[in-house]
């Protein structure tokens, strides 16, 4: 997670580098530390350091880290020649290295030669079956080929060992949602909520899945999770507010007004909050909102 | 009460400074030697998995109230059922660490390497200091101290009349041994500064048994009372929205 202070620092450094203020190396270090994806910038400034022999030798042993960083950024930008050069330099310096082997696999992947990349990763995994990065690359590989069931299989295999990796759970949840396997997705989102109970995004996504699943019980649960999102975001999340309205109307439709346990206030409050928000930020859309909300009420 | 002792400047030049320099150099040397001897250990899949299971079970225990009770019950059974639950350790399978150590020669080898790189230079320097500098008063600290510091600062001098602020050479050796960590972290980089005290702590932490923490986690999970927290959130959301709208 990138915090706000870190992000402002990053942006400040970026603009400083952009206007020729120096500090390119610090910027690259920060990018690496925060694991953000700014491949074009990394490629540009990283190459400017690498092409300047004086600056490059000033880095000492960090030089090789920079080669790796630039290689990955270059693959992301489809500058495959640059990536190949970087990898060749690294290969010369560290023959037999697993880390360089991984880069070569990624280069094959970037070229689109899936089968070769798959073979490269498989042989790397044979040497070290617990390499998390390679496991994840294989998932990405399957996903890039459009082989979503394969990606799910790889992810499940990975999660069997590294079951506390919430990023992997999130990826799995998103794949399940895209395949409309909502029950499985719900399980993944539960896992995410357990790992980080205060992140409203997971509550929201879980509520979405529950709402899509349908059925009275799920709808009521979805409404609760939408409300928790409202609570955690301080009522700023428009999607959650709409979710509350949708759930309430769906529940009343199902129970035909025989619903005793829920107080009706929540929906009217959510509606009011939505109206206020729209008036403030998108006053030309208020009429659209009004008709949308009306259609919800009419159906109830 | 002894009068002020005058320390020869030659003591400073030939005892105090060489001792410190030698300690630093030995520390650096030891770092490189241990780097050479370090063998890459392939982590065992089972151990990694156990660690991850524990993290996940702990998450489940602390966040239990945030998921519906049906989901919680399913997970609890998954973790702690008596047949193939992840946290369940069959009776006979709980091998103890001692036996594991004997069965795996690599482990003993590693420990020996660590020990060698720690003990050999230490004994050598200690013998060296003892042989050449025993009984020296090597330095004087510029403030008075109470009698209790005598054993710390005047190791190797058995005179009760010498003022406590004088430091014997053997004590200077010990002070260096335990106090150079900050310097090493400057020279060798943050994570490389492994001083002896830390290493000793690691040694005592050896023989840690993961199966124990598994069953402890299972017990913890068994007694968790599930109370879904989400119904409360509707009221809280109402309060938030009321504040927002008004």
């Amino acid at each position: 997670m990138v915090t706000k202070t870190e992000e402002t620092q990053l942006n400040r450094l970026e603009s400083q580098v952009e206007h020729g203020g120096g500090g390119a190396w610090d910027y690259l270090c920060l990018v690496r530390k925060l694991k953000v994806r700014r491949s074009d910038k990394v490629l540009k400034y990283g190459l400017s350091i690498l092409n300047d022999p004086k600056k490059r030798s000033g880095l000492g042993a960090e030089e090789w880290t920079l080669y790796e960083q630039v290689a990955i950024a270059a693959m992301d930008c489809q500058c495959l020649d640059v990536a190949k050069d970087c990898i060749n330099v690294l290969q010369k310096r560290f023959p037999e290295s697993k880390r360089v082997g991984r880069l070569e696999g990624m280069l094959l992947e970037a070229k689109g030669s899936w089968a070769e990349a798959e073979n490269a990763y498989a042989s790397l995994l044979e040497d070290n079956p617990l390499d998390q990065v390679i496991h994840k690359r294989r998932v990405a590989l399957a996903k890039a080929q459009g082989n979503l069931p394969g990606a799910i299989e790889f992810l499940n295999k990975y999660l069997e060992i590294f079951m506390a990796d919430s990023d992997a759970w999130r990826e799995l949840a998103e794949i399940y949602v895209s395949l409309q396997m909502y029950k499985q997705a719900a399980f993944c989102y539960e896992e995410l909520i357990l790992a980080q109970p205060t992140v409203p995004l997971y509550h929201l996504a879980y509520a979405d899945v529950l709402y899509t699943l349908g059925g009275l019980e799920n709808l009521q649960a979805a409404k609760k999770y939408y409300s928790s999102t409202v609570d955690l975001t301080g009522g700023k999340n428009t999607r959650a507010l709409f979710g509350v309205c949708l759930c309430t109307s769906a529940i009343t439709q199902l129970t035909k007004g025989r619903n005793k346990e829920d107080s009706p206030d929540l929906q009217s409050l959510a509606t009011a909050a939505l109206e206020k928000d729209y008036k403030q930020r998108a006053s030309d859309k208020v009429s659209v909102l009004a008709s949308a909300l009306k259609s919800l009420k009419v159906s109830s | 009460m002894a009068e002020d002792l005058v320390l020869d400047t030659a003591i400073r030049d030939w005892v105090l400074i060489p001792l410190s320099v030698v300690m630093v150099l030995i520390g650096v040397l030891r770092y490189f030697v241990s780097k050479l001897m370090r063998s890459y250990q392939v982590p065992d899949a089972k151990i990694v998995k156990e660690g991850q299971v524990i993290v996940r079970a702990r998450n489940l225990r602390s966040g239990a109230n945030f998921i519906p009770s049906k989901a919680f019950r399913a997970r609890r059974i998954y973790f702690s059922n008596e047949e193939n639950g992840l946290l369940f350790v069959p009776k006979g399978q709980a091998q103890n660490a001692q036996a594991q150590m004997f069965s795996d020669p690599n482990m003993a080898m590693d420990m020996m390497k660590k020990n060698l790189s720690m003990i050999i230079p230490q004994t050598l320097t200690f013998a060296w200091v003892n042989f050449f500098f025993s009984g020296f008063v090597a330095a004087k600290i510029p403030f008075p101290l109470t009698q209790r510091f005598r054993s710390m600062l005047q190791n190797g001098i058995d005179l009760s009349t010498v003022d406590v602020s004088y430091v014997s050479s053997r004590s200077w050796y010990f002070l260096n041994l335990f106090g150079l960590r900050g310097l090493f972290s400057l020279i060798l980089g943050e994570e490389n500064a492994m001083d002896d005290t830390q290493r000793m702590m690691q040694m005592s932490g050896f023989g840690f048994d993961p199966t124990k923490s598994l069953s402890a986690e299972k017990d913890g999970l068994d007694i968790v009372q599930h109370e879904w927290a989400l119904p409360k959130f509707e009221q809280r959301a109402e309060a938030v929205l009321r504040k927002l709208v008004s």
Side-chain angles (χ1 to χ4, degrees):
Chain A
M1 277 293 197
V2 182
T3 63
K4 202 132 198 176
T5 43
E6 283 168 338
E7 201 185 334
T8 48
Q9 193 191 355
L10 186 72
N11 289 334
R12 196 172 47 80
L13 256 177
E14 189 175 288
S15 70
Q16 182 190 327
V17 175
E18 223 160 279
H19 297 104
W25 172 242
D26 293 331
Y27 172 70
L28 292 171
C29 282
L30 195 63
V31 168
R32 202 163 55 223
K33 192 180 131 210
L34 301 179
K35 295 195 176 109
V36 289
R37 184 175 177 177
R38 311 227 167 151
S39 299
D40 50 335
K41 303 268 162 50
V42 169
L43 183 60
K44 198 169 141 204
Y45 305 131
L47 266 187
S48 75
I49 292 181
L50 286 182
N51 287 334
D52 186 343
K54 217 170 83 192
K55 270 193 204 160
R56 194 179 62 199
S57 55
L59 296 177
E62 296 280 351
E63 181 188 343
W64 312 111
T65 327
L66 181 61
Y67 269 116
E68 188 187 26
Q69 192 181 10
V70 171
I72 292 172
M75 283 181 233
D76 199 15
C77 299
Q78 280 293 311
C79 301
L80 296 182
D81 299 337
V82 178
K84 191 150 185 30
D85 292 342
C86 289
I87 293 172
N88 282 341
V89 172
L90 285 171
Q91 174 75 31
K92 224 175 258 167
R93 175 71 178 74
F94 306 100
E96 311 255 319
S97 161
K98 300 267 152 52
R99 209 158 143 185
V100 178
R102 196 193 292 158
L103 282 178
E104 278 169 347
M106 282 166 82
L107 184 66
L108 289 173
E109 207 183 321
K111 277 181 191 157
S113 27
W114 308 122
E116 285 168 54
E118 179 65 47
N119 285 339
Y121 289 143
S123 72
L124 283 172
L125 271 185
E126 245 166 53
D127 291 332
N128 179 11
L130 291 179
D131 193 325
Q132 298 193 32
V133 178
I134 292 180
H135 275 288
K136 288 183 177 179
R137 291 291 353 143
R138 281 176 94 185
V139 175
L141 191 62
K143 218 179 153 190
Q145 296 175 75
N147 177 13
L148 287 182
I152 287 175
E153 197 182 312
F154 281 133
L155 262 176
N156 276 324
K157 228 189 267 167
Y158 170 80
L159 280 170
E160 210 153 273
I161 299 174
F162 302 97
M163 50 175 70
D165 185 341
S166 44
D167 289 332
W169 281 110
R170 186 170 176 184
E171 182 66 40
L172 186 59
E174 277 159 16
I175 295 178
Y176 275 136
V177 167
S178 69
L179 287 179
Q180 304 179 355
M181 296 160 83
Y182 295 115
K183 275 201 178 118
Q184 287 86 340
F187 181 89
C188 299
Y189 280 121
E190 279 161 14
E191 207 55 52
L192 283 167
I193 290 173
L194 281 176
Q196 288 155 301
T198 50
V199 177
L201 279 177
Y202 300 152
H203 287 250
L204 185 63
Y206 184 48
D208 285 344
V209 170
L210 285 177
Y211 178 78
T212 317
L213 273 173
L216 184 58
E217 202 178 324
N218 284 331
L219 282 173
Q220 275 165 345
K223 192 180 160 201
K224 290 188 174 66
Y225 279 94
Y226 279 126
S227 342
S228 69
T229 314
V230 168
D231 181 39
L232 289 169
T233 55
K236 296 267 160 50
N237 191 314
T238 315
R239 191 181 176 91
L241 291 173
F242 272 120
V244 168
C245 298
L246 280 169
C247 281
T248 320
S249 82
I251 289 169
T252 28
Q253 214 170 19
L254 272 180
T255 55
K256 310 242 163 42
R258 276 181 280 114
N259 188 18
K260 296 286 185 293
E261 61 174 271
D262 290 335
S263 64
D265 280 3
L266 194 58
Q267 190 193 10
S268 53
L269 278 170
T271 321
L274 273 175
E275 274 164 358
K276 195 180 166 195
D277 200 32
Y278 268 77
K279 255 176 215 153
Q280 264 173 9
R281 292 198 292 185
S283 46
D284 51 328
K285 299 267 169 41
V286 172
S287 58
V288 183
L289 174 77
S291 64
L293 288 174
K294 205 169 173 191
S295 72
L296 280 181
K297 268 182 199 151
V298 165
S299 63
S300 67
Chain B
M1 200 55 206
E3 297 307 309
D4 266 2
L5 296 175
V6 179
L7 298 184
D8 194 344
T9 49
I11 288 186
R12 182 194 61 203
D13 294 349
W14 293 101
V15 179
L16 198 68
I17 295 169
L19 203 59
S20 310
V21 170
V22 165
M23 292 298 297
V24 172
L25 288 182
I26 283 181
V28 173
L29 189 73
R30 201 168 64 192
Y31 162 69
F32 284 112
V33 169
S34 65
K35 203 171 158 187
L36 276 182
M37 292 207 301
R38 194 181 306 156
S39 58
Y40 177 69
Q41 228 177 355
V42 181
D44 186 10
K46 198 170 153 251
I47 292 173
V48 173
K49 191 178 169 183
E50 274 170 1
Q52 299 266 321
V53 167
I54 288 172
V55 172
R56 196 170 155 205
R58 199 167 292 155
N59 281 343
L60 175 60
R61 200 151 49 95
S62 60
N65 294 344
F66 284 92
I67 58 171
S69 56
K70 210 157 87 187
F72 173 74
R73 282 200 303 272
R75 276 181 176 73
R76 173 146 77 183
I77 289 169
Y78 176 59
F79 276 119
S80 66
N81 73 61
E82 301 277 321
E83 269 166 42
N84 55 356
L86 286 178
L87 288 173
F88 178 68
V89 189
K91 279 266 154 45
Q93 216 174 322
Q95 58 179 153
N96 61 22
Q98 214 86 39
Q100 200 183 357
M101 201 165 76
F102 286 120
S103 68
D104 185 3
N106 267 335
M107 224 152 156
M109 191 72 183
D110 262 15
M111 274 197 33
M112 219 164 73
K113 275 184 195 165
K114 263 186 213 156
N115 269 340
L116 281 184
S117 71
M118 183 166 89
I119 288 170
I120 288 185
Q122 252 182 49
T123 18
L124 285 183
T125 38
F126 187 71
W128 175 70
V129 168
N130 242 352
F131 185 74
F132 284 104
F133 308 122
S134 62
F136 268 88
V137 171
K140 179 179 190 295
I141 46 174
F143 44 85
L145 282 170
T146 54
Q147 289 296 326
R148 293 207 170 235
F149 285 92
R150 187 178 294 281
S151 60
M152 186 178 113
L153 290 180
Q154 291 184 356
N155 202 323
I157 303 178
D158 299 326
L159 290 174
S160 53
T161 47
V162 185
D163 194 85
V164 184
S165 55
Y166 288 97
V167 184
S168 75
S169 56
R170 204 194 287 174
S171 295
W172 180 246
Y173 162 76
F174 280 118
L175 288 181
N176 275 332
L177 184 66
F178 293 110
L180 280 177
R181 185 176 134 77
L183 193 65
F184 284 140
S185 72
L186 279 181
I187 302 175
L188 306 173
E190 271 315 319
E191 70 274 20
N192 303 326
M194 269 279 272
D195 70 344
D196 302 296
T197 36
Q198 222 173 1
R199 225 175 267 202
M200 277 170 206
M201 245 141 65
Q202 270 189 357
M203 299 285 291
S204 60
F206 196 80
F208 155 81
D209 188 2
T211 50
K212 252 182 211 140
S213 51
L214 277 184
S215 53
E217 203 57 50
K218 177 177 178 293
D219 293 343
L221 202 56
D222 279 338
I223 56 170
V224 168
Q225 295 280 327
H226 184 263
E227 190 190 332
W228 201 20
L230 266 295
K232 267 182 257 158
F233 272 96
E234 287 197 353
Q235 278 113 49
R236 286 173 66 172
E238 267 182 42
V240 166
L241 287 179
R242 232 174 236 134
K243 213 186 262 171
L244 197 76
V245 172
S246 62

